[in-house]
Amino acid sequence: MTFWIRINPQGCVEGSVYASYLDEDSTQGAHAEFVPERPTRLYEAAHGWRHERVDRAEWKRRAEPCLTGDCQHNRAAA
Ligand SMILES: [Zn+2]
């Protein structure tokens, strides 16, 4: 099982999608799935937003704490 995760400029994972769900299995394809508007994607790409392809083990380690609100990013912001 492979996922694409969406990472904000603070390094916190804000979303994930199955790689098999995408029309285009690429960084651009993943970004387009989260953000349909191209100008917004260009802005985000220039301002530290990232999209990475991860396997299930890495998803559990990196994405799950963020998506459940139990990560160091959320604690730092609190
Ligand atoms: Zn986080």
Side-chain angles (χ1 to χ4, degrees):
M1 187 75 77
T2 306
F3 301 84
W4 281 93
I5 56 175
R6 168 168 167 80
I7 308 160
N8 73 18
Q10 287 71 46
C12 193
V13 177
E14 290 209 340
S16 76
V17 63
Y18 293 124
S20 59
Y21 182 76
L22 299 180
D23 294 334
E24 184 192 334
D25 189 7
S26 68
T27 306
Q28 288 78 12
H31 201 172
E33 180 64 29
F34 292 109
V35 182
E37 306 80 17
R38 181 174 151 82
T40 306
R41 291 203 298 276
L42 292 174
Y43 174 89
E44 288 187 352
H47 289 82
W49 292 79
R50 289 176 294 129
H51 299 80
E52 291 184 21
R53 204 174 194 278
V54 297
D55 64 17
R56 176 145 191 93
E58 193 172 356
W59 185 92
K60 270 211 91 69
R61 182 170 60 78
R62 291 177 61 194
E64 189 169 66
C66 289
L67 295 174
T68 57
D70 184 30
C71 64
Q72 76 265 22
H73 315 108
N74 274 291
R75 287 194 211 106

